[in-house]
Amino acid sequence: MLESSGESSGVNASFFGYEAPHLHAFAEHDHLKLSHGPENELDFGLSLISNDGGNDIPRETNSHGVCDVERSGGTNAEDLEIRMDLSDDLLHLIFSFLCQKDLCRAGAACKQWQSASMHEDFWKYLKFENTRISLQNFVNICHRYQNVTNLNLSGVLSAESLVIEAITFLRHLKTLIMGKGQLGETFFQALAECPLLNTLTVSDASLGSGIQEVTVNHDGLHELQIVKCRALRVSIRCHQLRILSLRRTGMAHVSLNCPQLLELDFQSCHKLSDTAIRQAATACPLLASLDMSSCSCVTDETLREIANACQNLSVLDASNCPNISFESVKLPMLVDLRLSSCEGITSASMGAVCFSRILEALQLDNCSLLTSVSLDLPHLKNISLVHLRKFADLNLRSPVLSYIKVSRCSALRCVTITSNALKKLVLQKQESLCNLSLQCHNLIDVDLSDCESLTNEICKVLSDGGGCPMLRSLILDNCESLSVVELNNSSLVNLSLAGCRSMTFLKLACPKLQVVILDGCDHLERASFCPVGLESLNLGICPKLSVLRIEAPNMSILELKGCGVLSEASINCPCLISLDASFCRQFMDDSLSQTAEACPLIEHLILSSCLSIDVRGLSSLHCLQKLALLDLSYTFLMNLKPVFDSCLQLKVLKLSACKYLSDSSLEPLYREGALPMLVELDLSYSSIGQTAIEELLACCTNLVNVNLNGCTNLHELVCGSDYCRSGDMPIDAFPPDSAPDKTKEIRESSDCQLEVLNCTGCPNIKKVVIPSTANYLNLSKINLNLSANLKEVDLKCSNLYNLNLSNCNSLEILKLDCPRLANLQLLVLFLMQLSPEPIASMHDLLVYRKFRD
């Protein structure tokens, strides 16, 4: 076939549509007249052909040529000649990269370029598709370039006359493309003058006069394409023809005398009778490929005769042939069979299919009466079964089967597949599928999502010993009939059970498993992951989980957040770093102790709202030597001594809303120097008293972030007062069991590291004073938002950057000596009396003046 490309592969007539401004400046040329498109007829002076067809300089025949210009005193030829100093070989090489349109433009530059652009190497392909060209010009072009091998006249008016007139100059023609218009008997007879012609394509044309038979007779033709044409009768006598296509051609009869024909295409030849197709096909004994799809009149009798006459037939497309059942049709050499949308195909037809022992590809889409397929074909590689409404049973056995497409088979219940080549199996949305048997030793991916009828027995098929030893990825999403999933697979890596809402028990023994998805498994009650290769696991989406067992040597993150009824947990993950058991209200001391012993590398432990955890469970924290974050918020703990004694590396301690904690619970922090690495302490909404808070801020100088949000016992915050910061405090001021010497050592050991102080929503706080003597050199953020009774704020913090006093409606006195303050929030303040004392920073001065006014 002739293809268009950017290289100089032929003359495209549209390229002649470029009207160069200097075309008339050359010496005597023939005037080539072409026009591109029916509405714009233009004359172009492209000088390509000399009158005698030789290599002499052409003569200008246009009355407005160079001579007239010279006689009128205009620019002479010497002025117009611009010669580029390039060798002919170099110019030829450069022009070989140009398309024909650019060659025409280049030829208008100078005589050297014109000569180079006219080289016959660049004009072996003549492309005149959808272009108007006169008969004389076409003959002249063919005369000038008699070595043309490809010619495209598709869409050219009177193309038949052009070919007939110039046929004597086309003896080297190999490919001819015609399209649209009328082609009579004379045209096909004239093709005998082209002995090298091997490919002829005719599309969307009317053949013959409408009452006579059109004959194509050519001894050298190898490929003939007559597509979407109109004819009464067609006779083809081409002894060397290998490929013939009559696709979508409206003809009542066809006669073939093509003993070497290998491929025959009758697709959508609706007017051809069953007899005509039979006679044409049986006349080609070497036929290897036959396409008669959408020929509604074809019957089984025709197929049987073709099978007897064409022993080498390997490809057959009989799709959309409603009268075909394929019963008793024997095609032993068949490799590719397509029977889509054949209403007569039934399960009985599979016996004839099995006779084709070397069959490799089978297509049975939209065969509405097909109920079952059972095939044992040693060479079958591909099979397609789409939209089979009554299809219920599939049994395939082939060692080389590599592709199976099964879709929209709503009645399919049983699938049995045996193959050594199949690597991926997709059976999505087979609502009735309940029985699956696989013997596929190289199967890697299985997708059974939305197979609502699958039972628990599928787990045996997909486990070790079930026939899929190489299985790596398994998708069972929305298989709502699965209630107990037990998989023991040594190769499985990815597993998805999303949407399996009926599943109550899950047991996975998959040592290589790295990904498991359990979204929507909200009825899961018992789960076992022993052993698995998971590195992380989130079970917080399983609110009914009560019993959990995990053995995962590589797991580092485990989330149990929201497993409110989890009462029994055995977690053996020696590499576990983070455990989130928030809201596991029934998580017991025994489970915590066992987890701490088996997972000594835990650094983050979140036990928020674990109401069943007590001192006995916390005592096991001594096993966690690397514990850096501990969250005990919303618990009923009263004694934190195990934490202070065991967690020496703890950096973050969260005790938010621990209502039963007393001041004495935190004494080891500010009197004994417990948790020396602690940098963040959260006491929000706790019952800690005023004294304990002041002692913590004064003595725990290592704290960087302190949260006191919602503390009802906090009445005032006066940092750096004498009783907290003085080193001369009398020893007897401490209780008998205190350690004053150690406390003094703690206070004087270093400057305060506090950077963030949050006191949001403290309802009873009235006064916040931080003098410069408090030595809070690092304090950069203070949040007092929603402290409704706060009346006085006096801050002298050299590095304070952010201060939030929004919604402090009772604020009366605001004294700020904070030279670096950049963000001061004072939203919703209804009444304020600001102190007239000087304010250090320029930003604060602007705020002060605004509110004073």
Side-chain angles (χ1 to χ4, degrees):
M1 297 297 293
L2 187 61
E3 296 181 357
S4 175
S5 66
E7 298 181 359
S8 54
S9 56
V11 176
N12 191 326
S14 63
F15 299 149
F16 291 95
Y18 169 69
E19 188 173 5
H22 302 297
L23 289 180
H24 297 292
F26 302 109
E28 304 175 354
H29 299 163
D30 275 342
H31 192 67
L32 180 61
K33 297 182 179 180
L34 301 175
S35 66
H36 188 69
E39 61 277 350
N40 297 318
E41 284 198 43
L42 303 176
D43 291 343
F44 303 98
L46 182 62
S47 307
L48 294 176
I49 305 101
S50 60
N51 285 341
D52 56 1
N55 296 323
D56 296 336
I57 299 176
R59 294 184 303 275
E60 178 65 36
T61 59
N62 195 324
S63 59
H64 301 288
V66 174
C67 296
D68 293 338
V69 174
E70 292 178 350
R71 284 192 296 268
S72 62
T75 306
N76 57 38
E78 293 180 358
D79 293 335
L80 291 175
E81 182 177 351
I82 304 174
R83 184 177 184 84
M84 303 295 294
D85 189 14
L86 295 174
S87 67
D88 292 340
D89 292 340
L90 179 58
L91 202 59
H92 187 88
L93 176 62
I94 295 174
F95 281 7
S96 67
F97 295 99
L98 301 181
C99 64
Q100 287 80 12
K101 184 176 181 178
D102 292 335
L103 283 171
C104 293
R105 290 172 173 171
C110 64
K111 289 183 179 180
Q112 183 193 20
W113 285 29
Q114 181 196 32
S115 176
S117 66
M118 293 171 56
H119 196 283
E120 63 179 1
D121 288 350
F122 305 143
W123 310 103
K124 291 185 178 181
Y125 293 177
L126 298 181
K127 303 175 184 178
F128 295 98
E129 185 176 2
N130 297 320
T131 303
R132 284 191 177 186
I133 180 171
S134 67
L135 176 61
Q136 186 59 45
N137 281 339
F138 180 76
V139 173
N140 289 339
I141 292 173
C142 294
H143 186 194
R144 174 65 178 85
Y145 298 106
Q146 297 190 19
N147 289 326
V148 169
T149 59
N150 290 53
L151 176 60
N152 187 344
L153 293 175
S154 178
V156 177
L157 297 178
S158 303
E160 178 184 21
S161 301
L162 299 181
V163 173
I164 292 174
E165 290 297 326
I167 197 69
T168 55
F169 305 123
L170 299 174
R171 298 187 61 82
H172 294 88
L173 190 65
K174 295 181 179 180
T175 300
L176 176 60
I177 300 176
M178 307 288 288
K180 301 181 181 179
Q182 185 82 22
L183 298 178
E185 185 71 20
T186 306
F187 166 78
F188 292 102
Q189 292 176 355
L191 296 180
E193 298 293 330
C194 303
L196 300 181
L197 185 66
N198 56 35
T199 301
L200 173 61
T201 300
V202 180
S203 60
D204 197 14
S206 297
L207 308 183
S209 61
I211 58 175
Q212 296 179 346
E213 180 179 80
V214 176
T215 301
V216 181
N217 188 349
H218 196 287
D219 291 336
L221 205 59
H222 286 182
E223 180 176 351
L224 176 59
Q225 303 274 349
I226 301 178
V227 179
K228 200 180 177 181
C229 294
R230 299 161 295 282
L232 180 63
R233 299 168 61 89
V234 177
S235 175
I236 301 174
R237 302 171 185 175
C238 303
H239 297 290
Q240 300 299 321
L241 194 64
R242 301 290 193 274
I243 301 173
L244 172 61
S245 176
L246 298 171
R247 177 174 299 198
R248 301 178 64 187
T249 294
M251 54 191 171
H253 186 269
V254 60
S255 174
L256 300 183
N257 184 4
C258 308
Q260 303 296 321
L261 192 65
L262 300 177
E263 299 181 18
L264 178 59
D265 187 353
F266 282 134
Q267 180 183 340
S268 300
C269 294
H270 302 294
K271 293 184 178 181
L272 275 181
S273 65
D274 183 39
T275 302
I277 294 176
R278 182 188 314 166
Q279 292 175 351
T282 54
C284 306
L286 300 181
L287 195 64
S289 175
L290 174 60
D291 186 347
M292 52 184 182
S293 58
S294 300
C295 294
S296 56
C297 57
V298 176
T299 62
D300 285 337
E301 182 62 28
T302 294
L303 286 180
R304 283 190 285 269
E305 291 199 17
I306 292 175
N308 292 331
C310 306
Q311 298 292 327
N312 295 322
L313 189 65
S314 59
V315 179
L316 174 61
D317 190 346
S319 301
N320 293 291
C321 296
N323 298 321
I324 288 179
S325 67
F326 211 73
E327 296 181 17
S328 68
V329 177
K330 298 181 179 180
L331 291 168
M333 303 302 294
L334 205 59
V335 174
D336 189 346
L337 177 59
R338 303 171 190 174
L339 298 173
S340 297
S341 301
C342 292
E343 299 176 359
I345 297 296
T346 64
S347 300
S349 307
M350 296 303 103
V353 174
C354 289
F355 188 81
S356 304
R357 298 296 296 171
I358 63 173
L359 188 67
E360 295 182 1
L362 176 62
Q363 191 175 86
L364 296 171
D365 300 345
N366 298 297
C367 295
S368 56
L369 298 180
L370 188 62
T371 59
S372 65
V373 171
S374 181
L375 298 173
D376 186 357
L377 297 172
H379 298 279
L380 185 65
K381 296 180 180 179
N382 306 321
I383 185 169
S384 179
L385 303 163
V386 177
H387 196 202
L388 306 178
R389 292 175 295 176
K390 298 182 179 180
F391 186 56
D393 190 4
L394 174 62
N395 189 341
L396 298 175
R397 181 182 295 271
S398 171
V400 295
L401 184 65
S402 60
Y403 178 78
I404 300 175
K405 183 178 181 180
V406 179
S407 177
R408 300 169 62 190
C409 300
S410 56
L412 183 62
R413 294 178 55 83
C414 182
V415 174
T416 302
I417 301 174
T418 302
S419 171
N420 292 328
L422 188 64
K423 294 185 177 181
K424 183 174 183 178
L425 176 63
V426 178
L427 296 174
Q428 296 178 348
K429 296 184 179 180
Q430 305 304 318
E431 296 90 348
S432 301
L433 182 63
C434 58
N435 190 358
L436 177 63
S437 177
L438 299 175
Q439 290 296 326
C440 305
H441 298 293
N442 290 300
L443 187 62
I444 295 176
D445 298 332
V446 175
D447 188 349
L448 300 173
S449 56
D450 296 291
C451 294
E452 300 174 356
S453 301
L454 275 180
T455 64
N456 300 331
E457 296 299 319
I458 189 64
C459 299
K460 297 180 180 179
V461 177
L462 302 172
S463 296
D464 288 344
C468 306
M470 302 296 291
L471 186 64
R472 292 175 56 85
S473 177
L474 174 60
I475 301 177
L476 294 171
D477 294 350
N478 302 310
C479 295
E480 297 186 356
S481 296
L482 293 179
S483 59
V484 177
V485 175
E486 297 185 59
L487 289 174
N488 183 356
N489 192 306
S490 58
S491 62
L492 191 64
V493 175
N494 299 318
L495 172 64
S496 179
L497 294 166
C500 296
R501 303 187 183 280
S502 300
M503 183 174 61
T504 59
F505 180 80
L506 174 63
K507 183 178 181 181
L508 301 178
C510 308
K512 294 184 179 180
L513 187 65
Q514 295 181 3
V515 178
V516 60
I517 300 175
L518 298 172
D519 296 354
C521 299
D522 45 18
H523 288 82
L524 183 63
E525 299 176 359
R526 302 171 64 89
S528 174
F529 302 84
C530 301
V532 292
L534 294 170
E535 295 182 0
S536 64
L537 178 63
N538 183 3
L539 294 173
I541 49 181
C542 305
K544 295 186 177 181
L545 186 65
S546 60
V547 179
L548 174 64
R549 186 184 174 199
I550 300 178
E551 183 180 329
N554 299 322
M555 185 174 294
S556 60
I557 300 175
L558 176 59
E559 293 191 23
L560 303 175
K561 186 175 182 179
C563 297
V565 296
L566 182 63
S567 59
E568 182 180 341
S570 175
I571 303 173
N572 184 5
C573 305
C575 294
L576 190 65
I577 296 176
S578 175
L579 172 60
D580 186 350
S582 302
F583 302 100
C584 295
R585 292 181 173 85
Q586 298 185 26
F587 192 69
M588 308 300 291
D589 289 338
D590 292 340
S591 298
L592 178 59
S593 299
Q594 187 275 333
T595 301
E597 293 176 1
C599 311
L601 300 181
I602 290 180
E603 297 179 7
H604 296 172
L605 179 59
I606 303 176
L607 300 174
S608 176
S609 297
C610 292
L611 306 181
S612 300
I613 297 297
D614 205 344
V615 176
R616 188 166 61 91
L618 294 181
S619 300
S620 63
L621 297 181
H622 70 275
C623 300
L624 307 180
Q625 296 298 315
K626 294 186 177 183
L627 187 63
L629 183 149
L630 177 61
D631 189 349
L632 298 173
S633 302
Y634 296 92
T635 58
F636 297 153
L637 293 170
M638 294 183 292
N639 187 351
L640 297 177
K641 190 175 185 303
V643 176
F644 299 141
D645 293 342
S646 305
C647 306
L648 301 181
Q649 300 298 319
L650 196 63
K651 296 180 180 180
V652 179
L653 177 59
K654 297 185 178 182
L655 301 170
S656 178
C658 292
K659 299 295 185 180
Y660 294 93
L661 285 180
S662 62
D663 291 3
S664 60
S665 302
L666 299 179
E667 283 187 357
L669 276 179
Y670 56 82
R671 293 202 174 186
E672 300 176 8
L675 306 182
M677 305 296 292
L678 191 67
V679 295
E680 181 177 343
L681 178 62
D682 189 355
L683 296 172
S684 301
Y685 306 100
S686 65
S687 57
I688 300 299
Q690 173 79 32
T691 303
I693 292 175
E694 291 179 344
E695 288 284 357
L696 282 171
L697 293 176
C699 302
C700 298
T701 57
N702 54 307
L703 288 176
V704 175
N705 191 334
V706 176
N707 293 324
L708 301 172
N709 303 320
C711 289
T712 58
N713 293 329
L714 181 61
H715 299 282
E716 63 179 26
L717 188 58
V718 181
C719 301
S721 59
D722 292 341
Y723 67 88
C724 289
R725 299 294 291 174
S726 174
D728 299 328
M729 180 178 294
I731 296 178
D732 57 358
F734 292 92
D737 57 346
S738 62
D741 293 336
K742 193 168 186 178
T743 302
K744 179 179 178 180
E745 180 183 348
I746 294 171
R747 291 172 177 173
E748 296 179 347
S749 61
S750 63
D751 293 334
C752 181
Q753 302 298 318
L754 186 65
E755 296 180 6
V756 179
L757 178 61
N758 289 316
C759 298
T760 299
C762 294
N764 298 318
I765 190 171
K766 296 180 181 180
K767 182 178 181 180
V768 176
V769 177
I770 302 180
S772 58
T773 56
N775 207 21
Y776 282 4
L777 301 178
N778 298 305
L779 187 59
S780 61
K781 180 179 179 181
I782 299 177
N783 191 349
L784 297 168
N785 184 28
L786 295 172
S787 297
N789 292 311
L790 182 63
K791 294 183 178 181
E792 179 181 352
V793 174
D794 186 355
L795 303 177
K796 295 182 180 180
C797 303
S798 58
N799 287 307
L800 188 64
Y801 180 84
N802 191 319
L803 175 61
N804 189 349
L805 295 171
S806 299
N807 299 285
C808 297
N809 298 329
S810 301
L811 187 62
E812 297 176 356
I813 300 175
L814 176 58
K815 297 180 181 180
L816 299 178
D817 186 3
C818 307
R820 296 192 179 182
L821 185 64
N823 187 358
L824 175 60
Q825 302 180 42
L826 298 170
L827 301 177
V828 195
L829 294 184
F830 300 111
L831 181 63
M832 176 178 291
Q833 297 179 359
L834 294 175
S835 172
E837 295 182 4
I839 299 178
S841 74
M842 180 59 67
H843 181 273
D844 296 335
L845 179 59
L846 294 175
V847 174
Y848 167 75
R849 289 178 177 175
K850 177 179 178 182
F851 280 91
R852 183 184 62 182
D853 297 341

